[in-house]
Amino acid sequence: MKKRFTIAPVVAPIVALLLGAYGASAHAQLATVAIAGVVAAGTPIELIKEGFNGTEGPVALPDGSFAFTETPANRITRITPEGAISTLLENSNGSNGLAINAEGDIYAVQVADPKVGIVYPPQRARTLAARYDGAPFGRPNDIVLDRKGGVYFTDSGVNPPAPGAAPAPQPAEKPAKPAVYHISNEGALTRLAADIERPNGIQLSPDEKTLYVANTFGEYVIAYDILGDGKVGPRRNFAKLEGFKKTETGGTSGADGLAVDADGRVYVATTVGIQVFSNKGEALGVIALPKAPQNIAFAGPGKKTLYAVGRGAAYKIATLTQGFTGRAK
């Protein structure tokens, strides 16, 4: 039997206290509120399954199903609207974020041998980029395609060791610094920004005039005006995130994956839940989950279901709004 949960109050401190009381993995019923135009009060959050080996890179597939990556397991997993689970691709080179072009080719940022390229179908697999200015990528994180076939992606840099853990082995070559990149339809690689502490999720507005980047170590979702030809305007703060915390080594909001709906609202996976903003950056509410989400995507029939993955779990939420249908992600 599928478990159901409910959408938490907008107030982040209350959400944090509830999650703290029950534990991040506890499946407690939380009070529900509506987010106007997004989700109705009392809408259940449905657990699809727990126990996945890593959960990242969600994207809508052309047949209405939903795919995400199990990065440590080196696998891409598919879930149908009815909840059937199967393996779409083994040996994914540690695929992380996913995107799909009009022909159905699946693009992935990959972390085992860091690179960006097509991974599915296997007969069309190829590498688009693996280095910038002679240096290998550190840890490509997320990706989105525009209508012209251009590729935007983030490289968040090599993961820092967990608190108290031994330092990770140093790579044979010093990797490129964390950055945001663009690959043109002709294959030209351009670094768009290298001043974000930890660029993570990346997304385009429906009209593709704005590029959004989630900064895990920052308090804001960052936005850039797209000027074309692999160029963007100055960095600006788009939306202030709840749950930002200062630590001994800096600050973190836990900002991860991004999604947009047909009305241009921006959805951000963070440690307090899915934070929802208007297309002007106004905070609209928070959808709290039993486990903090790592990435999100609209999928299913009409893209009227919001899927969330994180901490080994996958959830789905029926929405009042529709995900943007002009591209897979």
Side-chain angles (χ1 to χ4, degrees):
M1 179 180 295
K2 294 180 178 177
K3 300 180 184 179
R4 289 180 176 265
F5 310 96
T6 49
I7 295 174
V10 171
V11 183
I14 295 176
V15 172
L17 287 173
L18 285 168
L19 291 178
Y22 288 105
S25 62
H27 294 147
Q29 292 285 337
L30 303 178
T32 66
V33 295
I35 300 177
V38 174
V39 70
T43 299
I45 297 174
E46 186 173 330
L47 173 67
I48 300 170
K49 184 183 175 182
E50 290 186 289
F52 294 109
N53 189 358
T55 38
E56 263 290 359
V59 70
L61 295 177
D63 65 358
S65 59
F66 159 78
F68 69 97
T69 58
E70 294 184 71
T71 304
N74 204 28
R75 176 169 58 233
I76 298 176
T77 298
R78 174 179 175 267
I79 301 177
T80 68
E82 298 74 30
I85 301 170
S86 61
T87 295
L88 181 67
L89 180 68
E90 295 278 14
N91 301 316
S92 68
N93 190 36
S95 288
N96 198 358
L98 301 177
I100 303 176
N101 68 9
E103 289 72 42
D105 297 330
I106 297 180
Y107 289 62
V109 285
Q110 303 153 56
V111 305
D113 176 17
K115 65 178 69 173
V116 181
I118 297 171
V119 295
Y120 186 89
Q123 64 270 23
R124 294 208 289 272
R126 62 188 178 97
T127 297
L128 299 176
R131 292 173 173 266
Y132 177 77
D133 199 20
F137 297 136
R139 185 178 174 84
N141 196 299
D142 206 0
I143 183 172
V144 65
L145 307 184
D146 65 22
R147 298 187 191 96
K148 298 178 181 178
V151 179
Y152 294 87
F153 71 96
T154 57
D155 179 2
S156 59
V158 177
N159 279 343
Q170 293 298 308
E173 297 180 82
K174 183 178 180 180
K177 65 186 301 184
V180 180
Y181 294 93
H182 175 262
I183 304 173
S184 72
N185 197 31
E186 294 76 31
L189 175 67
T190 303
R191 188 170 70 184
L192 301 179
D195 61 347
I196 303 174
E197 297 90 333
R198 194 165 180 81
N200 198 322
I202 191 165
Q203 186 56 266
L204 290 164
S205 60
D207 62 10
E208 299 192 350
K209 293 181 179 180
T210 306
L211 179 70
Y212 303 110
V213 180
N215 179 13
T216 303
F217 290 167
E219 194 172 3
Y220 292 87
V221 176
I222 297 165
Y224 300 88
D225 291 334
I226 296 175
L227 306 179
D229 299 323
K231 296 178 182 178
V232 295
R235 163 181 173 167
R236 69 178 188 275
N237 292 333
F238 168 73
K240 188 173 182 179
L241 295 162
E242 295 186 26
F244 179 77
K245 296 179 181 179
K246 292 184 178 180
T247 68
E248 294 180 358
T249 57
T252 180
S253 61
D256 204 320
L258 302 175
V260 293
D261 68 17
D263 295 318
R265 298 182 190 91
V266 178
Y267 299 69
V268 190
T270 74
T271 51
V272 301
I274 302 171
Q275 300 190 41
V276 186
F277 299 91
S278 74
N279 58 10
K280 294 180 174 59
E282 302 157 327
L284 302 178
V286 180
I287 302 171
L289 303 178
K291 292 186 177 182
Q294 291 173 268
N295 215 326
I296 49 181
F298 284 92
K303 293 186 83 170
K304 297 200 72 172
T305 301
L306 181 60
Y307 286 80
V309 296
R311 278 74 191 174
Y315 304 92
K316 65 179 182 178
I317 308 155
T319 57
L320 301 174
T321 187
Q322 180 181 40
F324 177 57
T325 58
R327 56 178 178 267
K329 179 177 175 181

